[in-house]
Amino acid sequence: MATNYDYDVLYLGAGHGTFDGAIPLAGTGKKVAVVEAEAIGGTCPNWGCNAKIALDAPVALTREQERIKDQLNGEQLTINWTANMARKHSIIDVLPGAIEGLMTSAGIDVIKGYGKLTDPHTVEVDGEKKTADKIVIATGLTPHKLNIPGTELAHNSKDFLALSHLPKRITIVGGGYIAMEFATIANAAGADVTVMLHSDVALRPFYQPFVKKVLVDLQRRGVHFVKNSNVRGFKKDGDALAVEYGENDTLATDWILDATGRIPNVHGLGLEEVGVKFDERHGIDVNDHLQTSVENIYASGDVINSKQPKLTPTAIFESTYLTGLLSGQSDAPIDFPAVGTNAFTSPRISEAGVSVADAENDDNYKVVKTDLKDDWYYQVDNDAIAERALVFDKEGHLVGASEVSSHAVESINTLLPAIEFKLSKEQIGRIIQIFPSVASDVWATI
């Protein structure tokens, strides 16, 4: 490090795009700082994955009880929203302090405040300048906000994950992960849910025949979908709210969730001033070393413009890659593995590798589809919505998989090693899973 810099590496943002790599980087002897204006840990621990799955746990339990109700005595379980939210807070609210403790114990300076680049080596934090040889931008994504009349009446995902009382009528605008997952949770907890879709498609990145099964099930449970909704505005209607949509339609509701996507946190960082190239919709441009257009500035996590899924595991992989690069242990370009993706609806939809939709239009692949309802393991808990599609290359290697079922996450996680390493039949045969288990059952299919 040049002696005139305060730090070897300074990170903007304290999410998974930072701390998973910053902690081991500090362990190599580098002097490291992390600047964060909000909660330490970023979106995933505080307002994303961890919080969501905590609220979803009772949903999964009620679904399981529903599937095997004929084997049980007693009434169907219902969700206590207030208690569920309190439990979520009890296991989530400690995470920022715990993550900060891990960083400070590693010798990292954690600087609270809003950081802005003033030159390629300088970040100003609430009027105080900090310098670094290398800077990593890991500011993540922020909720998109509809530009329509009354947009201030809508809430975002952070607000939903902090609701102390569940409104009776909830309207969700959007059709992505957040919209479908929160529609599942709110409906299961007893709310009247309406989902306003921009088009006639939801969960666009996933295999659509599987998505349709989830939507049909949600409709059966009372979720109302408005396709091609053309939401025009929100307004107050006495003690309630109204959503104006279509040509001249109005929907009365109590609470509105704007789930129209997430956009990169690129504004107010001084990127233009120092010459870091970015796209407002897709994020910061990086090369195969996660290096931006400014030589000593790198980017990691959801804020980068990448074809990789914008997910926590991706951010962790990028952050730990930078540990090797910035510590001098490696100069190789980043080589992404197969990344599993999932929609935490009930049932789940999980995928990894070559998509089924792409494979169906390419003669180099073979798609094998299986209805799992009659599979012995899926019969154990009467999983009525259960299908899998496997993608094989011409040599017979598994290169992609998709599943809709209550076991989809475990199934795709089980298959990832075969996809990533293109295991041969002989290698697959040498892996003996615990039996009986989902993993054993899934592994036997390849």
Side-chain angles (χ1 to χ4, degrees), residues 183-373:
T184 299
I185 293 171
N187 166 259
D192 295 330
V193 178
T194 298
V195 178
M196 298 281 189
L197 298 175
H198 175 69
S199 63
D200 60 352
V201 175
L203 295 173
R204 192 176 296 274
F206 290 91
Y207 187 47
Q208 284 301 301
F210 290 176
V211 172
K212 289 176 182 177
K213 291 182 179 297
V214 171
L215 298 188
V216 168
D217 187 63
L218 284 172
Q219 286 177 306
R220 178 180 68 82
R221 297 175 183 279
V223 176
H224 179 53
F225 289 92
V226 180
K227 298 179 179 180
N228 303 300
S229 59
N230 184 30
V231 175
R232 297 179 287 106
F234 311 129
K235 65 181 181 181
K236 290 185 177 180
D237 184 13
D239 294 332
L241 300 170
V243 178
E244 298 175 321
Y245 70 99
E247 291 297 323
N248 196 30
D249 295 308
T250 302
L251 174 72
T253 191
D254 299 312
W255 204 83
I256 300 168
L257 172 63
D258 182 346
T260 53
R262 294 172 61 78
I263 55 176
N265 267 319
V266 291
H267 294 293
L269 300 178
L271 301 182
E272 299 96 334
E273 289 85 344
V274 301
V276 174
K277 294 181 180 179
F278 67 92
D279 180 282
E280 291 191 359
R281 288 186 58 195
H282 301 107
I284 296 172
D285 295 336
V286 295
N287 62 16
D288 59 5
H289 285 71
L290 302 186
Q291 188 177 37
T292 72
S293 53
V294 178
E295 185 178 11
N296 71 294
I297 299 178
Y298 298 78
S300 174
D302 290 352
V303 76
I304 70 174
N305 185 356
S306 171
K307 294 181 180 179
Q308 297 298 322
K310 291 183 182 293
L311 301 169
T312 293
T314 313
I316 293 172
F317 189 83
E318 292 163 349
S319 184
T320 52
Y321 163 78
L322 285 177
T323 299
L325 187 71
L326 299 180
S327 65
Q329 298 175 65
S330 172
D331 61 359
I334 192 166
D335 180 17
F336 285 99
V339 180
T341 63
N342 182 73
F344 283 93
T345 50
S346 291
R348 315 295 200 208
I349 307 178
S350 304
E351 297 187 352
V354 177
S355 74
V356 179
D358 287 345
E360 287 179 330
N361 295 306
D362 191 329
D363 291 339
N364 291 309
Y365 299 110
K366 176 184 178 182
V367 178
V368 177
K369 298 179 182 178
T370 307
D371 187 335
L372 301 169
K373 292 192 297 296

Side-chain angles (χ1 to χ4, degrees), residues 116-136:
K116 180 180 180 180
L117 291 159
T118 58
D119 67 50
H121 292 280
T122 306
V123 173
E124 185 175 301
V125 186
D126 296 338
E128 185 176 356
K129 292 185 176 180
K130 303 290 183 180
T131 60
D133 183 25
K134 302 288 194 298
I135 293 172
V136 179

Side-chain angles (χ1 to χ4, degrees), residues 19 23 96-108:
F19 70 82
I23 292 171
I99 295 168
E100 183 174 354
L102 290 173
M103 289 196 287
T104 56
S105 295
I108 297 172

Side-chain angles (χ1 to χ4, degrees), residues 131-159:
T131 60
D133 183 25
K134 302 288 194 298
I135 293 172
V136 179
I137 302 168
T139 49
L141 302 173
T142 191
H144 172 265
K145 199 172 181 65
L146 285 166
N147 183 23
I148 57 176
T151 189
E152 70 280 357
L153 298 174
H155 301 269
N156 60 31
S157 54
K158 282 186 183 181
D159 300 324

Side-chain angles (χ1 to χ4, degrees), residues 362-366 392-397 399:
D362 191 329
D363 291 339
N364 291 309
Y365 299 110
K366 176 184 178 182
F392 296 90
D393 64 15
K394 286 189 173 181
E395 289 73 39
H397 300 121
V399 294

Side-chain angles (χ1 to χ4, degrees), residues 366-386:
K366 176 184 178 182
V367 178
V368 177
K369 298 179 182 178
T370 307
D371 187 335
L372 301 169
K373 292 192 297 296
D374 295 328
D375 182 278
W376 78 269
Y377 200 93
Y378 289 75
Q379 289 184 55
V380 171
D381 64 356
N382 196 28
D383 210 343
I385 303 175

